[in-house]
């Protein structure tokens, strides 16, 4: 009898198929889209357009420790060092078309949504202009009010309907609304299982080593509209639930002494290093603001709900929402501390980070530290500085425990 595959094995298989299927589709003359990470992929999936995600791919290149050559290439062409490193990696890859992290084919269209930042607009616009291909843009207004307002929902919904018209023109096919409803259902179910798996880390000890969130996140980006993606996260949830019920912690050896949150994107070139430093001090990263951005849930065939969901992610919400969100994570996950990654590439997250830190600490009393880094540019990170900050956090967490807080 064939041994049942673990979610980790299925994760790697699914990612491998994701890249290969896009290359095979391109060879067959089928359309391939490049999309931002939190874009309404449901429209592309419905139309049968193969979709890959440059941010995902750039992160994989960073994790393989080969981002520097792409960054050097882009900067030699005149792109600023202050530009998002994902963009610098991807703009170089667009010409090099080869990486150790796997390859993605050049796109036939661009699918861009600015609910993560406004840098993506010019980045993707530049690709569309250089390759002379169409670009579909979704403008998601920043939520200065606490909730997504109804006027913005109507504005975003109108853009989705317009995008459907554009896709019909590009593909020469009619949009199948019955298929669309099915894709919407699967996408929401996938998000629900992703969230349920991540929430298993609320157990003490956590059955989840939080850095696995970063590893599994690649699939919630690229396979959210697929049954394979949904089934993967359901299996992961079941594995974590079984570990939690058995009282198993995140590691085979060593105890979870401190529970922390990581705010921001991972330092992909130093993913192993940053993890090992935390484990060295008995620190488990049990939750993060970043992976929760892909909890995109709405009712089947509810285009208004879908528009609202895509405007609701953390980085597209105001300061009060950000503070409340982290405060709730502190309570729900029984956090001892918070690590804020001041990411050179991600200005939208960083510019408010110090104020969020101040307010959260005032409200919860939980200590925190900020370290400097970058998501894919290895030059902006110092392992020694990072460990010094972690040591300072350990001292503060230990003092707080001794005081009985």
């Amino acid at each position: 009898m064939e041994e049942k595959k673990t979610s980790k094995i299925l994760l790697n298989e699914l990612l491998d198929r994701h890249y290969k299927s896009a290359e095979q589709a391109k060879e067959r003359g089928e359309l391939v889209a490049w999309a931002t990470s939190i874009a309404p992929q449901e429209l592309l999936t419905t139309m049968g357009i193969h979709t890959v995600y440059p941010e995902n791919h750039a992160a994989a290149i960073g994790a393989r420790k080969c981002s520097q050559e792409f960054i050097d290439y882009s900067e030699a062409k005149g792109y600023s060092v202050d530009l998002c490193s994902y963009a610098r990696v991807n703009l170089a890859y667009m010409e090099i078309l080869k990486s150790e992290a796997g390859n993605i084919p050049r796109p036939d269209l661009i699918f861009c949504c600015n609910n993560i930042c406004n840098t993506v607009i010019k980045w993707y616009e530049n690709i569309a202009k250089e390759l002379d291909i169409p670009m579909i843009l979704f403008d998601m207004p920043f939520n200065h009010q606490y909730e997504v307002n109804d006027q913005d929902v109507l504005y975003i919904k109108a853009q989705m309907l317009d995008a459907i018209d554009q896709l019909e023109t590009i593909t020469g096919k009619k949009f199948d609304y019955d298929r669309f409803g099915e894709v919407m259902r699967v996408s929401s179910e996938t998000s629900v299982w992703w969230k349920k798996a991540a929430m298993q880390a609320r157990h003490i000890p956590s059955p989840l080593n939080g850095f696995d969130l970063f590893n599994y996140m690649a699939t919630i980006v690229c396979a959210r509209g697929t049954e394979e993606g949904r089934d993967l996260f359901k299996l992961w949830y079941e594995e974590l639930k079984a570990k939690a019920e058995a009282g198993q912690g995140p590691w085979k050896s060593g105890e979870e002494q401190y529970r922390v949150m990581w705010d921001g994107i991972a330092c992909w070139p130093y993913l192993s290093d940053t993890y090992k430093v935390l484990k060295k001090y008995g620190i488990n990263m049990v939750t993060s603001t970043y992976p929760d951005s892909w909890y995109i849930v709405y009712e089947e065939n509810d285009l208004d709900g879908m528009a609202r969901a895509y405007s609701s992610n953390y980085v597209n919400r105001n300061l009060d929402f950000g503070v409340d969100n982290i405060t709730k994570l502190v309570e729900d996950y029984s956090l001892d501390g918070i690590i804020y990654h001041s990411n050179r590439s991600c200005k939208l997250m960083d510019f408010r980070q110090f104020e969020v830190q101040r307010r959260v600490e005032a409200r919860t009393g939980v200590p925190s530290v900020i370290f400097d880094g970058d998501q894919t540019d290895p030059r902006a990170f110092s392992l020694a500085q990072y460990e010094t900050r972690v040591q300072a956090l350990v001292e503060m967490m230990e003092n707080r425990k001794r005081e009985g807080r």
Side-chain angles (χ1 to χ4, degrees):
M1 183 180 293
E2 185 179 353
E3 187 177 348
K4 184 180 179 182
K5 293 181 180 179
T6 65
S7 65
K8 201 162 199 174
I9 293 173
L10 291 175
L11 168 70
N12 293 327
E13 290 180 353
L14 200 156
L15 288 173
D16 187 51
R17 284 201 304 273
H18 167 69
Y19 287 118
K20 285 182 178 177
S21 65
E23 288 194 286
Q24 291 166 354
K26 187 74 172 182
E27 291 170 0
R28 294 192 299 267
E30 298 172 9
L31 294 178
V32 173
W34 280 9
T36 48
S37 57
I38 311 177
Q41 51 76 26
E42 295 88 340
L43 306 181
L44 296 171
T45 303
T46 299
M47 296 299 282
I49 297 173
H50 297 265
T51 308
V52 290
Y53 300 84
E55 295 154 77
N56 231 8
H57 189 236
I61 289 173
R64 288 293 186 94
K65 301 184 184 300
C66 50
S67 56
Q68 191 62 60
E69 63 176 288
F70 293 90
I71 288 169
D72 290 342
Y73 187 97
S74 288
E75 291 176 5
K77 292 197 68 177
Y79 288 107
S80 170
V81 68
D82 292 318
L83 181 64
C84 167
S85 59
Y86 279 170
R88 280 177 283 152
V89 169
N90 176 246
L91 290 167
Y93 175 82
M94 182 177 69
E95 297 188 12
I96 297 171
L97 290 176
K98 187 175 179 61
S99 83
E100 292 182 17
N103 298 317
I104 57 176
R106 277 183 176 166
D108 300 294
L109 71 147
I110 292 297
F111 206 68
C112 180
C113 187
N114 69 344
N115 55 359
I116 49 175
C117 68
N118 281 325
T119 297
V120 293
I121 298 175
K122 305 310 293 184
W123 165 12
Y124 279 59
E125 190 178 69
N126 196 66
I127 297 171
K129 185 172 183 179
E130 287 200 24
L131 299 182
D132 192 24
I133 57 176
M135 171 173 165
I136 296 175
L137 172 66
F138 298 90
D139 176 37
M140 302 274 181
F142 185 84
N143 294 292
H144 296 283
Q145 298 174 331
Y146 195 87
E147 301 292 349
V148 181
N149 66 54
D150 293 340
Q151 182 175 334
D152 287 349
V153 169
L154 292 175
Y155 173 62
I156 296 165
K157 177 184 176 181
Q159 293 179 70
M160 290 180 173
L161 292 171
D162 182 62
I164 290 172
D165 291 339
Q166 292 182 68
L167 289 171
E168 287 182 331
T169 300
I170 292 168
T171 62
K173 297 189 299 186
K174 292 295 292 180
F175 191 79
D176 186 340
Y177 280 90
D178 290 334
R179 168 67 177 148
F180 183 43
E182 174 66 14
V183 172
M184 292 173 78
R185 181 181 63 79
V186 172
S187 295
S188 281
E189 288 176 354
T190 305
S191 291
V192 167
W193 285 112
W194 160 257
K195 178 75 170 180
K196 288 180 73 172
M199 289 177 69
Q200 289 301 301
R202 293 181 301 173
H203 290 277
I204 300 175
S206 166
L208 171 64
N209 149 34
F211 275 69
D212 278 340
L213 284 171
F214 293 137
N215 293 323
Y216 280 78
M217 190 174 63
T219 312
I220 195 63
V221 174
C222 71
R224 202 171 66 254
T226 68
E227 293 181 357
E228 294 87 353
R230 177 197 62 195
D231 295 344
L232 167 70
F233 291 117
K234 184 174 184 292
L235 175 60
W236 190 34
Y237 161 76
E238 290 168 350
E239 290 172 349
L240 292 172
K241 184 172 182 288
K243 286 183 67 177
E245 289 174 348
Q248 295 179 26
W251 308 304
K252 291 181 180 179
S253 61
E255 295 182 2
E256 176 189 87
Q257 298 179 48
Y258 307 102
R259 299 164 60 86
V260 304
M261 186 199 89
W262 180 290
D263 180 54
I265 302 172
C267 295
W268 297 112
Y270 298 98
L271 193 64
S272 177
D273 298 297
T274 49
Y275 163 70
K276 287 177 180 176
V277 167
L278 295 187
K279 186 180 178 184
K280 174 181 174 181
Y281 294 97
I283 300 172
N284 187 20
M285 187 272 280
V286 295
T287 190
S288 172
T289 50
Y290 185 43
D292 203 42
S293 294
W294 287 275
Y295 180 61
I296 303 168
V297 176
Y298 45 79
E299 295 297 323
E300 184 178 340
N301 295 316
D302 179 10
L303 201 56
D304 290 77
M306 182 175 158
R308 190 180 301 276
Y310 272 102
S311 183
S312 297
N313 61 298
Y314 173 72
V315 294
N316 204 43
R317 305 290 287 272
N318 69 11
L319 191 65
D320 290 338
F321 177 89
V323 172
D324 288 347
N325 182 60
I326 293 179
T327 299
K328 190 171 189 307
L329 290 174
V330 169
E331 297 167 354
D332 290 348
Y333 289 82
S334 306
L335 298 183
D336 301 303
I338 301 173
I339 297 174
Y340 293 90
H341 173 202
S342 182
N343 180 356
R344 185 188 181 103
S345 278
C346 207
K347 311 298 189 293
L348 181 60
M349 289 186 182
D350 294 351
F351 283 169
R352 62 184 184 179
Q353 207 165 48
F354 286 93
E355 179 62 12
V356 169
Q357 179 195 32
R358 185 187 69 80
R359 291 197 199 179
V360 170
E361 189 158 346
R363 195 181 292 184
T364 66
V366 168
S368 58
V369 292
I370 295 179
F371 76 92
D372 299 306
D374 189 274
Q375 55 205 33
T376 35
D377 190 337
R379 300 168 299 183
F381 175 83
S382 164
L383 186 59
Q385 183 221 51
Y386 170 77
E387 183 160 7
T388 299
R389 300 291 164 84
V390 170
Q391 289 171 338
L393 181 61
V394 169
E395 290 181 15
M396 289 187 285
M397 292 189 295
E398 189 58 35
N399 287 337
R400 191 166 183 265
K401 283 190 173 184
R402 277 199 299 265
E403 294 168 2
R405 288 188 288 156

